[in-house]
Every structure is written in structure tokens, then in C-alpha cells.
Amino acid sequence: MNKIQAMLDAIIVSVNIAVLLWLFVFDQNSDKVVLLLNDKISMASLITDVIIYAWINVWAFSTRTIEPPLHHRVIVAGTLVFVITDFIYYYIYFYSDYKPNSWVDGAYVIAFSLMAASAVLKGKVKKEKPDLIPVKAKKRVCCKLGVELFILFVPVVVLIFKRNEIEYFVLLVMALLVYYVLINFTQKSLFQEKLLELEKKNVLELEKKVKERTEEITKLLNTDFVTGLYNRRYFEARLSKSLKNLRQDELISLLYIELNKSKSIKYLYGKDTAEKLLKNVSEALYQIVSKNGGFIATYGDDTFAVKIKGYDAEAVAEKIAMEIIDRCNELFFVDNHGIRVTLNIGTSCYPRDTLDENNLIKNADAAMTQARNKGFNRVQGYSDKIGKITDNSHMIEVKLKKVVFDKEFVLYYQPQVYCKDGSLSGFETLIRWFEGGTNFIPPLDFIPLAEENGIIVPLGYWIIENAAKQYALWKEKTGHDYRIAVNVSSKQLVEVDFVDRLEAILKKYDIKPELFEVEITETIQIESSINIQETLKELKKLGVSIAIDDFGTGYSSLYYLKNIPADRIKIAKELIDNVESDFYSKAIIQMVISVAKMKGNKVIAEGVETKEQWECLQKLDCDEIQGYYFAKPMPAGDIEEKWIKKEK
Ligand code: C2E
Ligand code: CA
């Protein structure tokens, strides 16, 4: 459309100039044309003037869409005055009546003054301002006449000076009318083109912004807020994609990593430090995983998932797991604290362990749970056996939620004896679950589940109440004064009213606190939870005996004893099993006994199954023992008959 517009402009300008020349310069006389052709200088000057005039016209039209600055307008005005003056001069000159110092010379002076003024104005224009300012689309309503009125100049001149040649005026007006109709159309089209272009630009800009925003939102949706790693949503989508693109014989290995003590760390060091630690840990994991070509994401609050794809995915997964465990042997430094992080890793492999995408993570999680049951910083690969254990766990959990304590739970008691002579010193209370009255479910199968889902709290009080009741019954019948122990989970110890409720039960059954013992399993929670520390102090104040269960396995260190107000230490069966054969087990037991004696604590050995073990422990100066060699856990009636009455 711009080209058509330019052509129309050129035609109308040419018509105007032609009429102007024909009427004013040549006086409608073709002989004068010939005359001018012979006067080369005048002709050259006139041609120059025509070109300048045409240029001014075209310039004026080109300002349809831009607003020219003042100095442009002034120089154009100066040039216009010059051209018109020059036309008039040549006209006068042509007809030989030019007189120097006439008004024509004055007009030349005005023309040059305007040009000079333009130069001065140009100097004042601020540099940063662009020379041409676009006219606002709104202001430029194409249907209205604008610069085109400029062309009216010639018809007006014709009307004023050549009134007799009215047909030329009519011709020019007709030409102008046609021109206006046509430019109205072209300007409309140009305007629309411009609008369209503007719209296109806006749409492109909008699209760009939408794209940027979408990318931002997608990133937020796919990223974990604390660790900055990809999140579960993204991990699962990526896993799905990898499984779809898997080549023949290619494997996918998954690692499911769970940090062990996040809650305690949060409690101990505060939320900020805990979050920084989590970030540090995730960075360390990210380094290890990406170095080995794997992909890691935050899967839950304190869990991570890793995907490794390739023909040797299993070997790489193992390597990554080992490197992670190694890293956890070093401390993480956050806010001037050196914090030890422990974790467990479960692995599963596609297609070996499952062909179902959903089960892949589930299997790795199940393997991780098994690893966690074994202790800290353990790695466990998935197997069918683990699958069965997990299925069984789910079944047990369902049953556990429905169980009526009095109907299916029974308390058994295992005698504890003095090491020197095998005489009775007390009993440990151990729960037994006969599901549906007959189906025996071992405590190790349901206690961890009860701890996880919180059932351990009401169940724990049920155990304490029933053990105390039984103790009081025996006392009433036999007058005995042996010690009775119950196992207490750390989940019970964090209950704020635990000590009050225990005290109330002891009072209710008239039991001396020193004859009642709580066995707590050494875990990181015990050491790191301020709540538990407080509870232990209160228990101590109450006079209740505190025993550390399973000492020598898992998290423990002798140093740990320093912070726990224990009365007795129960050496784990695992150490006792090897007391005769393994030099290290024996050395550890000896050391524990020495430290305990120095602290004034008693030591009891668990799981004694042979006479040799007993004798060995006698030599090591162990205080008490408990184990199948003397008695298995048994119902209350058997304890009364076979042990209490016999001893009394
Ligand atoms: P624990 O507290 O370490 O209990 C000792 C476990 O070793 C008992 O298993 C006991 O029957 C077994 N045991 C004792 N002497 C021997 C032996 O000479 N040889 C062998 N092979 N085993 C021996 P049980 O009753 O199956 O309990 C397992 C675990 O379940 C307990 O370990 C304890 O952690 C938990 N548990 C049992 N009863 C309760 C309870 O009433 N409350 C809580 N919170 N946990 C309980
Ligand atoms: Ca125990």
C-alpha cells in the first residue's frame, strides 16, 4: 500500500507542477518551451526548482505517519519560500522585467534566514530525542485530510492568478478529488496494515511473556522449595518417560533415600538450621548422583529418589549408594554446628524387580524400610522376600488398626537372673499378639508399625497398666519384691504427661518406683530430643529405674551413656552370641561393663542361650543375665508357679 500511496503522491505532484509550469512559466505557449530549452542555465535552474518542489511535496506526504521536528519544518518552509521565489524570479527574468533589490530579493533573504534558523534550532535539539517522532495512531485519522491539503496550494494560486483559465483550476480540482478519494482508501489500508502490524507485535510480545511466565510456573511446579532439586511430580514424569524410551537390555535402577533424624534435628537446632542442613545434604547428594550420570529429586520432606538409566544401571546405583554412605561418615557444617547425618537407602531395578512402573518406587521404599530396620546408613536392595514382608506389614497394619487390646494382646514375662548364681532378680514384660485368638504375630512385626502410626501410645499405657496390675496380684499372693521391666518406645517418652500417668499407675497398684523399670532402646531420638531428655530426668526424679536396651548395636557409643541418666545397661544379644568366639565382642562387653561400673550402673546381658555364655559373662563380672538358657518369655501364671513361688 505504501508504494501505491507514493505513486499517487508522485502523480498529483507531477500534475500540479506541470500545470504550474504550463500556466505560469510557458504561458500556454509551446514556443516558450522551445525557448527555455535553448536557455540551458535557466532550464537547469528551473528543473532544480521543480525537483525541490516535488521533494517538498513528497516530504510533506511522508509526514503522514511521523511528526517532523521543528527544525525540519523550518528548513522545509525556507526551501519552499526559496523555490517559489526562484520560480517567480525566473518568470520575471524570462519576461525581462526583473529589477534588482525588488521584493524578490527580500523573499530570497527570508528563505535563507529560515534555513539558517533551522540550523540553529537543530543545534538545540536534545541528542537523545529521535529526529522523527511517530504520530499517534489515534491522532492520524486517515479519512480526514491532513498534509494532502498542501497540494491545494497550486489550484489556489491558479484561481488567484489565472482566473481566466478556469478549466485548469477545474482540472486540478478534479484531479485532487480523485487523488483524495484514492488516498483515503490507501491511507485506510495503510492504517489497518499498521494496526495489524502493531497487533502482531503486541501478540508476539504477549506470547513471549506468556512463555516466560509458563516456564517460571512450570519450574516452580517442578522444583522443591527447600532443596531446589526437582520434586516428586517431575521425578515421576521423568521416570515414566525413561521407561517408555528404554532400549532393549537397558535397565533403570532407583534409589530411595531417607534421612533418619530430620525431626530431631529440627527440634534440636531449629527450623532454619534444619533447612540449611537439608539443602547441604541435597547438594552433596546431587554432586554424587550427577557425577555418576544419575538424576536426583526430592521425593518427600526428608526423602530423595534417584534414577539411573543404562546397561550397567545396577552397578552405578550401588556405586552411588556407597559414595553417599561414605559422605555421611563426615559431618555437615551448618551455622557453626557439625551435624552428623544418617540415612538409609533402598534400591530397586526395572525390569528385574517389577514390570510395573508404580511398583518401582514402592519396592525401593520397601527395601529402604528394611534397611532402616537394620540400623543407620544401611543399603538394601529389593527382593521378593522384602516384597512379602512389605505386603505382610500392610496386612498387619490394617489388623492393628482394628484390634481390641484386651481381646488379642497378652503380656508374657521373661525372668532375669543374677549372673553369679542364677537366682531370680526380676522380669521383662513382653507383649504377645494372638490375632483372632490364634494367629501369633511377633512383636518385631507389629511394634515398629505401631510406632509409626501412633498406636504405640495407647498400647504402651495398656502394657504398663496391665504389667503393674499383674505385679500387684503376684505381690498380693506371694509378697515378692522382684523388679519388673516394661519396654517403652521413644514415641511414648515424648508424650508430655507420660511421667504423670506412670506415677498414677504406680500409686494405683502400690508399686515402689525403684522396682519398676522402663527399658528404652538407644536411638538418636533419645539423645537429641529435648522432650525425651526432660522425661528421663522426671523419671529419675520419680525414682523409676531406667535401662538402656540393646546396648552395643545401632547408634550407640559409650559416650552416649554420659547424657542418659541410666541405671542399667542391657547388652544386646548380638554381642552375647559371640562372647566366647569373637575377641572384639568380648572386648566390647568388657569395656561396657567397666564403664558402667565406674558410673555406678548395673549391666545385664540379653539372649544368653548357653552355659558357656553364662560362664563367660560371670568371668567378665556381669551383674545379671536374661535368656532362653534360663527361661523363655512365659505367661503370668507360669511365672508365678515356676519362678516366684519356687524362689520364695
Ligand atoms: P527386646 O526388648 O530386645 O526384647 C528381647 C527379645 O529377645 C524378646 O523378643 C525376647 O523374647 C527375646 N529373647 C530373650 N532371650 C532370648 C534368647 O535367649 N534367645 C533369643 N533368640 N531371643 C531371646 P520378643 O518378645 O519377640 O520381642 C522383640 C522385641 O519387640 C523386643 O526386643 C522389643 O523391642 C519389642 N517388644 C516386645 N514387647 C514389647 C512391649 O511390650 N513394648 C514395646 N514397646 N516393645 C516390645
Ligand atoms: Ca527389652
Side-chain angles (χ1 to χ4, degrees), residues 428-430 486-487 519-521 549-550 570 606 626:
E428 178 181 359
T429 310
L430 295 156
V486 289
N487 291 286
E519 290 190 8
I520 53 171
T521 308
D549 217 352
D550 289 326
K570 295 190 77 176
E606 275 193 285
Q626 173 183 349

Side-chain angles (χ1 to χ4, degrees), residues 414 428 431-432 443 463 487 549 573 606-607 609 627-628 633:
Q414 186 177 26
E428 178 181 359
I431 193 161
R432 295 291 174 259
I463 293 166
N487 291 286
D549 217 352
K573 183 177 178 300
E606 275 193 285
E609 290 180 338
Y628 290 176

Side-chain angles (χ1 to χ4, degrees), residues 19 218 234 434 440 469 505 562 615 623:
V19 170
T218 318
Y234 187 78
F434 294 97
F440 174 68
K469 198 167 152 187
I505 294 171
K562 188 175 154 243
E615 283 168 0
D623 297 301

